[in-house]
Amino acid sequence: MAFFVFFPVWVLLLGASCIDADKMSLFVNEGDSVTLHTDVKTNQHEKIKWFFDDTRIAQISGDLSKICTDVGCNEETERFRDRLKLDDQTGSLTITDIRTTDSGKYKLQIISSNSMSEKIFSFTVHDVPDAETDKMKTKSVKEGDSVTLDSGVIKNPKDLIMWYYNDTHISEIARDPSKICTGDECEDADGRFRDRLKLNNQTGSLTITDTRTTDSGDYHLEIITNSSSIRRQYSIDIISEKSLSGTGSNGIVFFLAMAGACLGVLLVVAGVTGECRRKLASVKSFFYPKTNQTAVL
């Protein structure tokens, strides 16, 4: 199951008339994680609290003496059981395995000794057919072919898009369009994808050319905005030419074996039919013996 998520964000600073708005919309698939950023450091504030539809779902104190999520903060937060994570450095909130029931308003309170600020995140989750989700997230291709991992978004100029292979950074489109890296150009790259990666600068989708069996594995995409980030998982299985040829040979052997078995059955049936005819002939001769006739001249 996959979902379409709209993230309108309003920021309200109490005691001030400043309102900042940041909106984005993108596809979020079942199993994705969404992180809502505070843009602060926990040690600079007394408390950071998160609310979902006015129910407290997470809290962290500046000295880390008080940290809680979902049922640990409020027994009425069963909907998020084991799906909320707090960053103890920033107080940012991550919601994992996103669901339609997660739609609603999320309020962030940042409390200091002499001030309090609030930020409100709101998103609506819409169903997308499972078939589309599977097609986008899981790929099986023949060795040597190209494969594209679809980001599912139209890139906002303010977004940072990063791709990872087994947690190794392999590709990135920065907020500055001139800063695009693929393969060895990215930090921590291991040379595995040298000259075989292409990024769509409109969507951030990643194409791997001339695929190899060593490209099989788990990939993940991170879409980072000013106020939130999305993490999406993908899986690729590269099928080798040997496997394909082996499957073909096995198919031929299986076909010949089946043909031989069918021929054997036909021969047995034919043999049984001939034996039955001989026995019927002997019974008939017993009851109806032939009479020797002498010609009368």
Side-chain angles (χ1 to χ4, degrees), residues 126-179:
H126 299 280
D127 290 346
V128 175
D130 288 340
E132 293 184 19
T133 305
D134 295 339
K135 183 177 180 181
M136 186 169 70
K137 293 183 66 173
T138 305
K139 306 278 187 177
S140 293
V141 296
K142 183 176 67 174
E143 185 178 17
D145 287 352
S146 297
V147 60
T148 296
L149 301 178
D150 186 3
S151 69
V153 303
I154 300 298
K155 184 182 181 301
N156 186 304
K158 297 180 181 180
D159 294 347
L160 170 63
I161 290 183
M162 305 175 72
W163 285 96
Y164 294 81
Y165 169 71
N166 290 342
D167 295 325
T168 297
H169 184 203
I170 60 172
S171 188
E172 175 183 319
I173 299 182
R175 294 181 174 93
D176 181 351
S178 64
K179 296 180 180 179

Side-chain angles (χ1 to χ4, degrees), residues 56-180:
R56 187 180 59 164
I57 59 173
Q59 177 176 322
I60 186 170
S61 60
D63 60 4
L64 305 183
S65 61
K66 170 69 173 178
I67 301 176
C68 67
T69 57
D70 44 70
V71 293
C73 293
N74 192 313
E75 293 181 358
E76 297 179 5
T77 55
E78 286 286 337
R79 80 169 68 230
F80 295 107
R81 180 177 289 277
D82 301 325
R83 296 193 298 116
L84 297 180
K85 296 180 180 179
L86 268 178
D87 187 314
D88 60 7
Q89 299 297 313
T90 65
S92 295
L93 179 69
T94 297
I95 308 166
T96 63
D97 187 21
I98 198 166
R99 305 168 185 175
T100 54
T101 54
D102 298 337
S103 298
K105 290 184 179 180
Y106 295 78
K107 181 172 67 176
L108 165 66
Q109 281 186 354
I110 302 174
I111 304 170
S112 299
S113 57
N114 57 0
S115 67
M116 182 177 76
S117 63
E118 288 188 354
K119 180 185 290 188
I120 297 176
F121 301 78
S122 179
F123 60 85
T124 303
V125 183
H126 299 280
D127 290 346
V128 175
D130 288 340
E132 293 184 19
T133 305
D134 295 339
K135 183 177 180 181
M136 186 169 70
K137 293 183 66 173
T138 305
K139 306 278 187 177
S140 293
V141 296
K142 183 176 67 174
E143 185 178 17
D145 287 352
S146 297
V147 60
T148 296
L149 301 178
D150 186 3
S151 69
V153 303
I154 300 298
K155 184 182 181 301
N156 186 304
K158 297 180 181 180
D159 294 347
L160 170 63
I161 290 183
M162 305 175 72
W163 285 96
Y164 294 81
Y165 169 71
N166 290 342
D167 295 325
T168 297
H169 184 203
I170 60 172
S171 188
E172 175 183 319
I173 299 182
R175 294 181 174 93
D176 181 351
S178 64
K179 296 180 180 179
I180 298 177

Side-chain angles (χ1 to χ4, degrees), residues 4 13 39 49 67 77 81 86 88 104 125 129 132 136 183 194 206-208 213 223 247 253 288:
F4 191 73
L13 298 176
D39 298 322
K49 297 181 179 181
I67 301 176
T77 55
R81 180 177 289 277
L86 268 178
D88 60 7
V125 183
E132 293 184 19
M136 186 169 70
R194 186 184 300 273
L206 178 68
T207 298
I208 308 170
T213 54
I223 304 170
T247 301
V253 170
Y288 305 99

Side-chain angles (χ1 to χ4, degrees), residues 244-276:
L244 290 172
S245 61
T247 301
S249 299
N250 291 338
I252 293 173
V253 170
F254 178 75
F255 174 78
L256 292 175
M258 290 300 295
C262 291
L263 180 60
V265 170
L266 290 174
L267 290 175
V268 169
V269 171
V272 169
T273 302
E275 182 65 21
C276 288

